[in-house]
Amino acid sequence: MEPVISSNPIDDTAAASKPRPVASADKHIWGIFIALCLISVIELYSASSREVGSSAFGVLGPIVRHIVMLAGGFGIVWFISRRHYSSMIPFTIIFAAISVAMMAWVMFFGDYVNGARRSLTILGIGVYPAEMVKISAVLLVALVMSRNLNNKQVGITSDGVKKAAVVILVLSLLLVKQGLTNTLLLLAISYSMMIVSGVKFTHLVVVTMGYAVCGIVFLLCIKDSNGENRYDTWIARLERHSEGEVPKYDQPIDAKNRQEMFSYMAQANGGIYGKGPGNSREASRLPLAFSDYIYAIVIEEIGLIGGVVVLVLYLWLLGRAAGIASRCNRTYPALLVTGMAVMIAFQALFHMGIVTGVFPVSGQPLPLISKGGTSILVTAIAFGIMLSVSRTATRQGNKTREIKEEGEALPENFDGKNPMQL
């Protein structure tokens, strides 16, 4: 049944300023979010056993705090999903400015965590701006590229590509001391968004050369908290990771490799089917089992099968977002949903690769599953934006009225045709 359209011009203006949703929020994305939250609650209870002794709330202290954070994340997802995706345009500027300011503060005055300045304390709560910078990268790149669409052909102008690359380089400079994987994650996000937006191959080559030159300069100039060159630190990690003379199972456990070794033991102990929730043997002695190494506890308790299920959830999210993006009429919502999914999925893949020994050791939380308030809230924002796009972005088959309302809610230069559209 067609909705009744008022003949009152004031009502019509109000309707145009607030476009009506064109579909229901994607049930698959909602399902993935809820599934990851449930897995997180089950596995974090075991992985937080090292914290129980220091908790003022006893055995249930860590898990209660985590559930409160997940509940807050659920509220954020629901709130953003009810907004039109066009509201992300003013939000981007505000959120990115706050993220960059906080990250700059942390670089010089932040609290030390695991040997580097990583956080700042606000009202007694530790905040990790690095997680905020990641989502700021997605928001800014989507905004910049959508403002620089090629009017003559579908895709992004060379000027838009340059501006997007500069955004990534500036944010990478802020993150370079936080770990190499954070910088690589930003590069992966930028490449993915450039490719899906129709950037020419020659432009990608130029961007790659620019990234390489700046990366070498960063590596040679940036020093860690001990005054040592970050290049030497990362080369040492790569060399230690690639050592093949002595198998891992014959190497003695020391301060440098104990996280890796206990992680491998946990995974080996889990086998195919796992030891069951709450039956982890290594959680009590694996450092950072509740954050950077929680995937090892997942495999130990629910086995290789459970580990594959978690992997499939993130890949499913990426595939679902790609499907939504390929049907959007306009570029901006397609870039938003793609960038958010890429950020979450790639971060999960980096975490899993580090834990399983594919990549060298470097801290990276598993989205929604690892403990961490800032990480959970940022991931919740990303899920909320994806759901908002799935609910309010017009796509093939929508009525002319709906497409017109969407256009009126966006700035004039955001009306470019989506290059991903099938």
Side-chain angles (χ1 to χ4, degrees):
M1 182 177 178
E2 289 291 329
V4 177
I5 302 178
S6 171
S7 59
N8 188 329
I10 297 178
D11 292 341
D12 290 343
T13 302
S17 63
K18 295 183 179 180
R20 286 159 285 194
V22 297
S24 300
D26 190 83
K27 295 180 181 178
H28 293 258
I29 295 178
W30 263 122
I32 293 168
F33 176 80
I34 293 171
L36 291 174
C37 288
L38 292 176
I39 293 172
S40 177
V41 171
I42 294 170
E43 294 306 315
L44 196 81
Y45 181 71
S46 297
S48 298
S49 59
R50 289 171 64 95
E51 290 190 300
V52 169
S54 61
S55 172
F57 299 97
V59 175
L60 297 178
I63 194 62
V64 168
R65 290 196 299 271
H66 188 64
I67 290 175
V68 169
M69 293 305 303
L70 289 176
F74 183 90
I76 290 175
V77 173
W78 182 86
F79 176 80
I80 296 178
S81 70
R82 307 302 295 179
R83 312 274 79 76
H84 192 273
Y85 74 83
S86 61
S87 62
M88 291 302 105
I89 296 174
F91 173 78
T92 295
I93 304 302
I94 297 171
F95 187 84
I98 293 174
S99 301
V100 169
M102 292 173 69
M103 194 67 243
W105 174 271
V106 166
M107 288 179 65
F108 299 100
F109 310 107
D111 302 328
Y112 280 96
V113 178
N114 297 328
R117 294 186 186 274
R118 302 182 190 274
S119 70
L120 70 160
T121 303
I122 300 177
L123 300 177
I125 301 173
V127 178
Y128 291 76
E131 299 299 319
M132 300 168 63
V133 170
K134 294 173 189 175
I135 195 172
S136 295
V138 177
L139 292 168
L140 286 172
V141 169
L143 188 65
V144 167
M145 291 201 293
S146 297
R147 284 186 179 276
N148 292 271
L149 300 176
N150 195 325
N151 295 324
K152 297 181 179 180
Q153 58 185 7
V154 177
I156 310 300
T157 63
S158 59
D159 193 41
V161 175
K162 293 175 186 177
K163 291 178 180 178
V166 169
V167 167
I168 293 297
L169 287 173
V170 171
L171 296 181
S172 296
L173 179 60
L174 293 174
L175 289 182
V176 70
K177 279 192 173 184
Q178 301 291 310
L180 183 59
T181 52
N182 284 323
T183 305
L184 292 177
L185 179 59
L186 289 193
L187 298 183
I189 290 171
S190 68
Y191 275 120
S192 301
M193 296 179 71
M194 287 180 185
I195 290 172
V196 301
S197 63
V199 171
K200 295 180 180 179
F201 178 74
T202 53
H203 291 164
L204 288 176
V205 172
V206 173
V207 168
T208 301
M209 294 174 61
Y211 284 168
V213 171
C214 293
I216 293 172
V217 173
F218 287 175
L219 287 173
L220 294 177
C221 297
I222 300 296
K223 298 183 181 296
D224 60 19
S225 58
N226 298 321
E228 298 179 358
N229 195 293
R230 293 296 294 177
Y231 174 81
D232 297 329
T233 301
W234 289 331
I235 290 298
R237 288 183 179 179
L238 289 172
E239 290 176 347
R240 189 170 74 247
H241 177 73
S242 60
E243 287 178 356
E245 296 180 1
V246 181
K248 292 287 186 181
Y249 52 81
D250 281 338
Q251 294 179 10
I253 300 176
D254 55 32
K256 291 184 178 180
N257 69 2
R258 61 174 182 162
Q259 291 189 118
E260 301 169 74
M261 301 302 283
F262 290 144
S263 170
Y264 299 150
M265 291 178 186
Q267 294 170 69
N269 188 43
I272 301 296
Y273 304 104
K275 299 301 179 181
N279 294 321
S280 171
R281 183 186 69 192
E282 302 299 331
S284 60
R285 62 176 182 170
L286 173 61
L288 302 178
F290 49 83
S291 57
D292 293 348
Y293 280 86
I294 196 169
Y295 191 62
I297 305 304
V298 170
I299 295 177
E300 184 178 19
E301 295 197 347
I302 56 181
L304 176 63
I305 294 176
V308 170
V309 168
V310 172
L311 171 62
V312 169
L313 285 174
Y314 290 110
L315 296 180
W316 185 7
L317 176 67
L318 188 60
R320 192 65 184 175
I324 293 171
S326 67
R327 296 192 299 273
C328 289
N329 285 322
R330 291 177 166 85
T331 301
Y332 183 59
L335 287 175
L336 277 180
V337 70
T338 301
M340 295 302 165
V342 165
M343 182 192 72
I344 294 172
F346 278 26
Q347 182 168 329
L349 292 175
F350 279 15
H351 174 98
M352 295 174 188
I354 292 167
V355 170
T356 56
V358 177
F359 300 144
V361 173
S362 181
Q364 198 65 234
L366 188 59
L368 277 185
I369 296 181
S370 291
K371 176 188 173 184
T374 309
S375 177
I376 289 174
L377 297 181
V378 165
T379 306
I381 292 173
F383 268 93
I385 292 173
M386 287 187 286
L387 288 167
S388 173
V389 170
S390 72
R391 181 172 175 267
T392 62
T394 63
R395 57 202 72 180
Q396 294 170 336
N398 283 131
K399 299 174 182 178
T400 304
R401 172 184 55 80
E402 295 170 332
I403 297 174
K404 181 180 178 182
E405 287 182 359
E406 180 186 40
E408 291 173 347
L410 292 170
E412 184 177 352
N413 55 347
F414 275 68
D415 201 34
K417 184 178 179 181
N418 175 23
M420 293 179 61
Q421 194 173 44
L422 299 178

